[in-house]
């Protein structure tokens, strides 16, 4: 069990914990550190994507100390909300424990968007678009989250 805290605990989940979930964790920690505790994981750990680190750094958020984590590294019972950020993660998400809410908010996969692009600037534009979409979503927190008080 986790220590008592007024902060609600969120886990962002995507396929590889390399881009989208890392961005969401970074934005949430940056914008809502006073009320939310953010973590991220993947169904598998694909490694931290350097383009994600670069575009988040452009926005003033340093992900360079992050690492790609797998879902099984976490005790899901400690979370108030699990947010899946891609269809694969949503379909693969294990049974959510009582008291935890599951939310799905899909975002495009930046590496897939940039797959056939040649210039670094064009590639970064794909990552920036998804970064900005995730920022807009996270800015709506905590009001948009289905948070309830857990029984003690």
């Amino acid at each position: 069990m986790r220590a008592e805290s007024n902060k609600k605990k969120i886990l962002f989940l995507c396929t590889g914990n390399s881009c989208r979930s890392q961005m969401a964790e970074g934005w949430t920690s940056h914008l809502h550190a006073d009320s939310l505790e953010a973590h991220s994981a993947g169904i598998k750990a694909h490694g931290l994507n350097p383009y994600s680190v670069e575009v988040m750094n452009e926005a003033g958020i340093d992900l360079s100390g992050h690492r790609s984590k797998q879902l099984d590294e976490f005790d899901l019972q400690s979370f108030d909300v699990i947010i899946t950020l891609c269809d694969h993660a949503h379909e693969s998400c294990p049974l959510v424990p009582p008291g935890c809410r599951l939310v799905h908010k899909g975002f495009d996969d930046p590496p897939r968007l940039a797959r056939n692009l040649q210039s670094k600037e064009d590639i970064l534009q794909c990552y920036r678009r998804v970064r900005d979409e995730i920022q807009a979503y996270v800015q709506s927190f905590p009001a948009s989250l289905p948070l309830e008080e857990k029984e003690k």
Side-chain angles (χ1 to χ4, degrees):
M1 288 311 252
R2 66 185 171 114
E4 287 296 317
S5 170
N6 291 335
K7 292 183 181 183
K8 297 298 183 180
K9 197 170 174 185
I10 299 174
L11 178 65
F12 293 101
L13 182 63
C14 65
T15 301
N17 192 223
S18 65
C19 293
R20 293 166 284 188
S21 54
Q22 294 282 351
M23 290 178 181
E25 177 185 356
W27 278 120
T28 303
S29 295
H30 179 75
L31 295 171
H32 304 292
D34 58 332
S35 60
L36 300 172
E37 180 182 330
H39 298 272
S40 65
I43 302 302
K44 297 181 178 179
H46 290 168
L48 189 59
N49 185 296
Y51 291 127
S52 293
V53 173
E54 186 170 343
V55 299
M56 290 299 286
N57 192 51
E58 291 173 357
I61 300 170
D62 183 9
L63 299 183
S64 65
H66 287 211
R67 68 177 180 82
S68 185
K69 300 168 291 297
Q70 285 189 246
L71 183 61
D72 63 6
E73 294 182 44
F74 294 94
D75 173 12
L76 297 185
Q77 293 183 33
S78 69
F79 290 96
D80 297 289
V81 179
I82 297 172
I83 302 174
T84 56
L85 301 175
C86 67
D87 290 338
H88 179 255
H90 186 65
E91 294 161 5
S92 303
C93 188
L95 190 60
V96 176
C100 181
R101 304 297 289 262
L102 179 64
V103 174
H104 178 63
K105 176 65 175 165
F107 291 95
D108 288 332
D109 182 32
R112 184 170 289 138
L113 292 173
R115 174 177 41 220
N116 296 318
L117 300 176
Q118 300 301 313
S119 80
K120 182 177 179 182
E121 184 57 31
D122 289 343
I123 292 168
L124 288 174
Q125 279 304 115
C126 294
Y127 284 79
R128 289 178 186 124
R129 179 176 68 92
V130 175
R131 174 201 65 197
D132 295 346
E133 290 171 357
I134 292 172
Q135 177 190 17
Y137 174 61
V138 168
Q139 282 178 320
S140 72
F141 294 174
S144 65
L145 294 174
L147 296 170
E148 296 177 359
E149 288 299 317
K150 284 190 172 185
E151 290 184 24
K152 296 182 180 175

